[in-house]
Amino acid sequence: MDDNVYNRFNSIKTLYYSEHLKAIANGEIPLPVIWHVYPTNKCPHNCSFCIMKQDRAGLEELPRETLLKAVRTAKKYSEAIHFSGGGEPLMHPDIMEAIKEAKGITRIMSTNGFLLTDEIAKELDSVRISINAGT
């Protein structure tokens, strides 16, 4: 798969999936190209500017089986899985198992990078590191 497809700033990305646009125009609902999974809303930081700060009040995470079911579903119906969310996906205790379970489709992660290791990075096809900061 072309790496440019997953570049959210690629202005012609929709052209890669013209068959999806045709299906939508015909009243169909095509399967997602990328399956987004939010493993947890936990984060090792407490940034004052974070737009998700209020959502983290409960400090919740997907149960292991729900996370793995989401991965299996993504493998069956989409081309890629993107681990991201309102928190740091690497805070989930079963994230490495989920990443390995997703082998066979493109595996993407958005992270703040604080908990990222070489071992985890090698399992992923694409890593987006947020460099949001107060200044």
Side-chain angles (χ1 to χ4, degrees):
M1 174 140 310
D2 187 338
D3 288 338
N4 287 325
V5 173
Y6 299 107
N7 178 347
R8 77 170 77 185
F9 303 110
N10 182 343
S11 62
I12 63 167
K13 181 166 60 173
T14 56
L15 297 179
Y16 285 99
Y17 299 101
S18 59
E19 70 280 0
H20 282 70
L21 297 175
K22 288 176 189 173
I24 292 168
N26 290 328
E28 300 171 33
I29 301 175
L31 293 169
V33 175
I34 301 175
W35 204 273
H36 290 267
V37 176
Y38 296 0
T40 183
N41 67 354
K42 294 178 182 177
C43 182
H45 305 293
N46 191 26
C47 302
S48 61
F49 56 84
C50 181
I51 64 170
M52 301 306 293
K53 191 173 187 172
Q54 193 172 18
D55 290 344
R56 280 201 295 278
L59 295 177
E60 297 177 12
E61 62 193 23
L62 289 177
R64 178 183 172 275
E65 282 309 312
T66 303
L67 176 61
L68 296 178
K69 183 178 180 180
V71 170
R72 290 184 207 110
T73 303
K75 284 178 68 172
K76 188 174 179 179
Y77 295 113
S78 65
E79 299 175 23
I81 188 165
H82 183 186
F83 299 100
S84 60
E88 171 54 51
L90 293 172
M91 292 285 292
H92 195 287
D94 302 306
I95 194 64
M96 191 61 165
E97 181 180 4
I99 293 168
K100 288 181 178 181
E101 179 74 24
K103 192 169 184 130
I105 60 173
T106 301
R107 298 169 295 172
I108 306 161
M109 179 175 287
S110 292
T111 174
N112 61 31
F114 185 72
L115 300 171
L116 187 63
T117 64
D118 287 344
E119 177 188 9
I120 294 167
K122 287 176 184 176
E123 290 291 331
L124 296 164
D125 297 291
S126 179
V127 177
R128 294 177 177 156
I129 298 179
S130 168
I131 54 172
N132 294 336
T135 61

